[in-house]
Amino acid sequence: ALAQSWLNNPGANHGILLATTSSNLMSYYSSREAASDIRPYLEVTTADSDISPVQISVTGSLSPDALGNTITRTITLSDVPDYQQLNSYVIQGPGGVKDVWVDSSKPSLNSGADEVLQVAESGVQRLMMEFNLAGLIHGSHIVSASLELYASTVSSPGTIQVHALAQPWEEGSCAGTGC
């Protein structure tokens, strides 16, 4: 639903925020600046036209038994989505993704150039990502959207929450004095 809303209204696409409230959880994820085989990506499958429900029926019969009895069964599924042509898109890397991690104890730090993105409860470190959906056909129906992240380290079990961002943000890099 979120990716579909971004496709329908590109101005509302401000991405997602990953956060945790799990104590002692610190997770490290590869960023778009990492090696191409471990970069985060969004895989989206779309249908070019509206989805129309169809009915599917399957009938099967067993050969007659010794008494000549035949058993026939019919299975019918109603309102099965009929997708016309499906298209698959992978949105990854520079130009496709912007990402950053931020730390509440260092409010002017913007770690957009880092190869590793952090999510942690201590220091309230959060990860933000935005995917450029400009290559998708406006008005198409998103059948599925799957976010893939490569976790290089997870310190302890916990929960990561995903939230839609409501405001635009900038990816950047800031390190050293004054950050």
Side-chain angles (χ1 to χ4, degrees), residues 58-167:
V58 177
T59 302
S61 298
L62 296 174
S63 300
D65 62 15
L67 300 174
N69 297 320
T70 301
I71 298 174
T72 301
R73 295 287 185 259
T74 301
I75 299 172
T76 302
L77 298 173
S78 299
D79 296 325
V80 176
D82 179 23
Y83 300 104
Q84 305 306 313
Q85 180 176 343
L86 296 179
N87 305 296
S88 184
Y89 302 89
V90 174
I91 303 159
Q92 179 184 39
V97 180
K98 70 177 188 178
D99 56 24
V100 66
W101 70 273
V102 293
D103 187 328
S104 65
S105 67
K106 301 172 188 168
S108 60
L109 177 67
N110 183 326
S111 306
D114 287 5
E115 287 191 11
V116 176
L117 304 167
Q118 300 179 26
V119 177
E121 186 269 333
S122 65
V124 190
Q125 297 169 342
R126 297 180 174 175
L127 180 161
M128 296 187 292
M129 301 181 122
E130 183 178 318
F131 296 90
N132 182 351
L133 303 183
L136 278 66
I137 300 168
H138 184 74
S140 59
H141 176 79
I142 294 181
V143 176
S144 67
S146 174
L147 174 63
E148 296 289 330
L149 298 173
Y150 177 80
S152 57
T153 303
V154 177
S155 64
S156 62
T159 302
I160 303 285
Q161 297 93 26
V162 178
H163 305 276
L165 290 167
Q167 298 295 319

Side-chain angles (χ1 to χ4, degrees), residues 11-64:
N13 180 4
H14 303 300
I16 57 174
L17 175 120
L18 276 67
T20 187
T21 55
S22 298
S23 297
N24 301 317
L25 175 63
M26 181 172 276
S27 300
Y28 295 99
Y29 300 94
S30 297
S31 77
R32 73 181 191 125
E33 284 78 21
S36 62
D37 60 331
I38 59 172
R39 288 180 183 155
Y41 66 89
L42 182 67
E43 184 171 5
V44 179
T45 302
T46 64
D48 286 343
S49 60
D50 289 338
I51 299 169
S52 55
V54 297
Q55 180 173 305
I56 299 173
S57 293
V58 177
T59 302
S61 298
L62 296 174
S63 300

